């Protein structure tokens, strides 16, 4: 019998309550570089302090992966199971986890497990973890769970609404000139996942009906929604997250809608008041 523990990197915005429900864990942290300081993105990290450091930082910010040995130790301790990582197009974490899994198998050949490339991040990783648990509880065998989850990942969509692009400029994801233009003109870029990479889906100006405009993007996807889950992560923007949830209930037939707070890594890239949603 395979182990059903779900392991994730710290780009997965799991709440403590949801981690318990899913038997999941943000087991492996990123290291966050803000100017000359390095922070460990684990449960002890103060997001408020991190945000203050980011706002004060005038140099480039970034992140680094742990060693494969850290993943190896986690896999062995868990006795196998399923791992979920940020998109392999955005970070080396997936490759690090895969190498850690191979090292664990060399140490303990009877381990059974799989590493999923979420092709997303944040609430996208959370949604993948939810699907893993759903398929396990449906009675599928190990291979069946892997096949179903990999298929779901190909269909999953993630959108990011940036209220502030200053951090994205600092960490090199957007040019300084373009970032200045976006801030001055009040343009809100909407990004999406495309084959595991970040792509520009659209943009709009002003602060009126932001929730409605973002949900219009959801409607354009023409994905099966009825009975499925919508997961929303926010960085200091609970009011918009709740407005999105309430409007989504009116417009769509999602089976469950969750609101979560961004962790350390996600907060760097979502920036203050950023919103991410996956379905």
């Amino acid at each position: 019998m395979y182990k059903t523990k779900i392991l994730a990197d710290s780009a997965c915005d799991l709440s403590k309550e949801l981690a318990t429900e899913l038997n999941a864990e943000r087991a492996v942290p990123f290291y966050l570089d803000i100017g000359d300081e390095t922070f460990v993105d684990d449960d002890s990290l103060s997001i408020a302090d991190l945000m203050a450091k980011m706002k004060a930082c005038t140099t480039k910010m970034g992140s680094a992966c742990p060693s494969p040995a850290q993943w190896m130790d986690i896999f062995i301790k868990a006795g196998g199971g399923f791992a979920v990582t940020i998109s392999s197009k955005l970070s080396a974490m997936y490759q690090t986890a895969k190498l850690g899994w191979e090292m664990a198998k060399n140490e303990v050949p009877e381990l059974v497990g799989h590493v999923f490339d979420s092709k997303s991040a944040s609430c996208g990783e959370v949604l993948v973890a939810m699907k893993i648990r759903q398929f396990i509880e449906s009675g599928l065998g190990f291979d069946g769970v892997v096949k179903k989850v990999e298929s779901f990942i190909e269909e999953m969509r993630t959108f990011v609404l940036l209220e502030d692009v200053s951090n994205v400029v600092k960490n090199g994801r957007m040019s300084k000139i373009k970032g200045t233009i976006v801030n001055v003109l009040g343009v809100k870029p909407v990004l999406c996942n495309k084959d595991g990479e970040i792509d520009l889906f659209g943009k709009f100006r002003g602060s009126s009906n932001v929730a409605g405009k973002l949900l219009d993007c959801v409607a354009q996807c023409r994905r099966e929604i009825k009975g499925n889950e919508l997961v929303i992560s926010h960085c200091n923007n609970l009011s918009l997250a709740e407005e999105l949830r309430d409007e989504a209930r009116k417009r769509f037939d999602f089976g469950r809608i969750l609101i979560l707070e961004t962790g350390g890594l996600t907060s760097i890239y979502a920036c203050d008041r950023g919103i991410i949603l996956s379905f």
Side-chain angles (χ1 to χ4, degrees), residues 2-8 71 74-75 78-85 94 97-102 104-105 110-119 128-129 132 136 141-151 153-154:
Y2 63 90
K3 296 288 185 178
T4 62
K5 181 76 174 182
I6 300 171
L7 307 166
W71 274 106
I74 291 294
F75 283 128
F82 298 98
V84 182
T85 76
Y94 174 70
K98 286 280 287 183
L99 182 55
W101 171 245
E102 292 169 6
K105 284 283 288 182
E110 64 269 24
L111 288 180
V112 177
H114 184 79
V115 181
F116 291 103
D117 175 356
S118 73
K119 298 188 177 180
V128 171
I132 294 171
I136 288 172
F142 175 82
D143 291 339
V145 171
V146 171
K147 183 177 180 180
K148 283 280 193 179
V149 174
E150 293 286 9
S151 178
I153 288 171
E154 294 300 320

Side-chain angles (χ1 to χ4, degrees), residues 211 215 230 232 238-252 254 256-259 277:
L215 291 176
L230 170 66
I232 303 167
L238 179 59
S239 60
L240 180 54
E242 290 178 335
E243 186 180 351
L244 278 165
R245 177 197 61 198
D246 296 342
E247 286 295 317
R249 285 174 175 166
K250 296 175 184 177
R251 293 182 56 173
F252 306 107
F254 284 109
R256 186 181 185 186
I257 302 177
L258 296 177
I259 295 177
L277 59 85

Side-chain angles (χ1 to χ4, degrees), residues 9-20:
D9 60 37
S10 64
C12 182
D13 289 335
L14 275 174
S15 65
K16 291 181 180 179
E17 295 78 13
L18 191 58
T20 300

